[in-house]
Amino acid sequence: MARYVEIMTARELEIARLVEILSKKSNCFEDPKLVLIGGYGLRAFIPFVRSTRDCDFALKKENGWRLDEIKRWLTKEVAIDAFEKKESSGYMRCVRLIRIGGRQAGVSLDFMEGEVTGRVGQDKVRIDESFIANSLKTKVKIADKEIGVRVPRCADFFILKTVSGRPSDVRDIATLVWKNGIPEGLTERIREILPYPEVFEEKLKKFVLPVLKDKRFLHSLRGMFMTTEFNEETKERIIERLSKLSI
């Protein structure tokens, strides 16, 4: 456990350093407007910390590609592990290796321009003007720093997590609903930013709810967020609320 804590602490310190570089280069995430998503973005909505080696940003596709500019900003700091552009979306993964004692550990920054895409072709969320304009300016704690960032509104965050649909996303969804409720305007936003709106309901029924109902879920969530506040009754209330969702 001590080695794990040491590694995660070192990773967070490095993520904090890289995010501060991005903030400076982008004029506090205003040019371009970079929106923090993923596990670090979740910290704006819940009072718990989920440790992760990935730090994810989304930005709107406009004239040209801002990924090219961000790549130039980070050339001296990271290795570019993936870089691709499609007609309406672009993706870049940046990796930084750090030494912790005699071992190496990695952190990554992921940037998604235009769309956030998943593992199959229809798993897509558009980054539209409303996604950016209605993002929230707040501060999140990374390592020992409080850093000013932009995060999605709760409805957009909820949609991103549901479309992703991994077990870690389900734990995030449960905690998000527990602390914030079902987001307002959810159905409308699903139809606005999902090219295939039916994906949301499919993911909810086939992935999110089955993981929530698994008898091991409570233990896994408590282990991830290091809390005993979330109990079986809380889980059942969330299952009931999510089961009533439809588009």
Side-chain angles (χ1 to χ4, degrees), residues 43-233:
R43 296 181 184 188
F45 298 96
I46 66 171
F48 309 112
V49 170
R50 172 166 74 80
S51 295
T52 174
R53 57 171 288 172
D54 304 321
C55 187
D56 307 314
F57 290 92
L59 63 158
K60 185 174 180 285
K61 175 74 173 70
E62 298 180 293
N63 297 325
W65 290 96
R66 301 306 294 265
L67 285 184
D68 292 322
E69 183 177 9
I70 297 168
K71 182 180 179 181
R72 288 193 294 271
W73 292 347
L74 296 173
T75 297
K76 295 181 180 179
E77 301 292 338
V78 299
I80 306 301
D81 188 60
F83 191 89
E84 59 183 40
K85 300 174 186 175
K86 300 178 181 177
E87 184 176 340
S88 59
S89 66
Y91 171 73
M92 178 170 67
R93 163 160 280 211
C94 308
V95 175
R96 171 86 173 180
L97 295 178
I98 56 176
R99 295 203 68 82
I100 306 167
R103 302 176 61 183
Q104 275 192 336
V107 299
S108 65
L109 300 178
D110 288 2
F111 299 89
M112 287 143 278
E113 185 170 359
E115 290 177 342
V116 176
T117 57
R119 287 163 287 181
V120 298
Q122 293 189 338
D123 294 357
K124 297 180 180 180
V125 180
R126 294 190 190 100
I127 307 304
D128 65 358
E129 182 59 39
S130 179
F131 189 103
I132 301 299
N134 291 299
S135 61
L136 312 173
K137 291 184 177 181
T138 187
K139 289 186 177 182
V140 297
K141 188 172 183 179
I142 306 178
D144 57 351
K145 299 179 182 295
E146 294 278 347
I147 303 177
V149 295
R150 284 180 173 270
V151 298
R153 76 184 103 174
C154 195
D156 289 350
F157 207 105
F158 188 94
I159 293 168
L160 285 168
K161 286 291 177 183
T162 304
V163 171
S164 181
R166 300 165 302 177
S168 62
D169 294 308
V170 179
R171 293 188 287 267
D172 290 348
I173 289 166
T175 312
L176 193 66
V177 173
W178 176 32
K179 293 299 182 181
N180 300 270
I182 301 294
E184 294 183 4
L186 183 63
T187 299
E188 181 182 358
R189 281 303 283 162
I190 288 168
R191 298 190 180 281
E192 287 174 349
I193 64 175
L194 294 188
Y196 307 96
E198 64 275 11
V199 167
F200 182 90
E201 196 161 354
E202 179 181 337
K203 293 278 188 173
L204 191 64
K205 291 180 177 179
K206 292 185 178 180
F207 295 96
V208 176
L209 285 169
V211 171
L212 264 171
K213 292 174 180 178
D214 190 293
K215 63 182 181 181
R216 297 166 294 184
F217 180 80
L218 184 61
H219 178 74
S220 68
L221 184 140
R222 286 175 166 180
M224 173 176 280
F225 292 110
M226 302 302 289
T227 178
T228 57
E229 289 182 49
F230 192 99
N231 56 33
E232 194 67 35
E233 184 181 348

